[in-house]
Amino acid sequence: MRALAALACAALAACGPALPEPEEREHPMSDPRAAAEGRIIDEFPEPADPWPETIRGQWRLAGVDGQPFDADYGVAISIGQDRIEFDNCQQIAWNYTYEAGKITTQRTPAITIDIAPKPLPCTAPLPPELAGMVTAIDAASEAQRTPEKGVRLSGGSHSVTLFSQ
């Protein structure tokens, strides 16, 4: 009985048209109807939007000026609705605006609460990696999504790469 079923299947397969070899198959880009039928969209989806809808969130510093941030400590960066902050005694922070990939930053005091007397910034210099980060955020004019789903702020030949925490 099994032999008869296998023979019937083989006979049916022989009656149908043979599939063309992969190189002979029509590529959807060569068919003008492919776009109208949606085959191109299914087979070749558009890349993700390179500009993030928002840059708000809790981030960690992953790179400065194209180099990985490789220190014995991590740097957490908080980007709120209109403010960028990181923990530092120098009281460095920024106000920012962001729209469709374009960012503008402006330094602002890190301490905005109304206390008297306001603490003075410390005089300790920033480590070189953090000084590079500050320079890059000062100069930032563009925000792009990275292939790793991070955010790169860049401008003035400087950049910082941020990954979510």
Side-chain angles (χ1 to χ4, degrees):
M1 190 65 149
R2 282 190 173 155
L4 186 58
L7 187 58
C9 287
L12 283 174
C15 294
L19 288 175
E21 292 299 315
E23 62 273 356
E24 295 175 5
R25 292 184 190 157
E26 183 180 318
H27 192 278
M29 294 299 281
S30 64
D31 182 0
R33 296 172 300 180
E37 295 171 1
R39 287 184 283 149
I40 291 176
I41 293 169
D42 292 341
E43 293 183 35
F44 301 97
E46 287 292 316
D49 186 358
W51 297 285
E53 185 176 313
T54 181
I55 60 172
R56 283 189 255 179
Q58 301 302 314
W59 303 93
R60 69 175 175 83
L61 180 62
V64 177
D65 292 336
Q67 299 299 312
F69 179 71
D70 189 25
D72 295 340
Y73 56 91
V75 177
I77 299 174
S78 177
I79 302 182
Q81 182 173 345
D82 60 359
R83 193 168 169 85
I84 301 173
E85 298 177 310
F86 72 105
D87 190 25
N88 67 93
C89 69
Q90 292 83 0
Q91 298 183 13
I92 299 170
W94 298 265
N95 286 331
Y96 79 94
T97 59
Y98 173 76
E99 187 175 339
K102 302 297 179 201
I103 185 171
T104 58
T105 60
Q106 181 178 0
R107 289 257 192 121
T108 186
I111 298 182
T112 59
I113 58 174
D114 191 19
I115 59 173
K118 287 192 187 278
L120 296 174
C122 70
T123 58
L126 288 170
E129 304 87 8
L130 291 186
M133 177 198 77
V134 168
T135 299
I137 294 175
D138 282 341
S141 60
E142 189 172 326
Q144 292 181 309
R145 187 177 313 279
T146 68
E148 304 84 12
K149 305 253 190 270
V151 170
R152 180 174 295 114
L153 305 178
S154 61
S157 73
H158 294 285
S159 68
V160 291
T161 303
L162 309 173
F163 291 152
S164 64
Q165 291 202 69

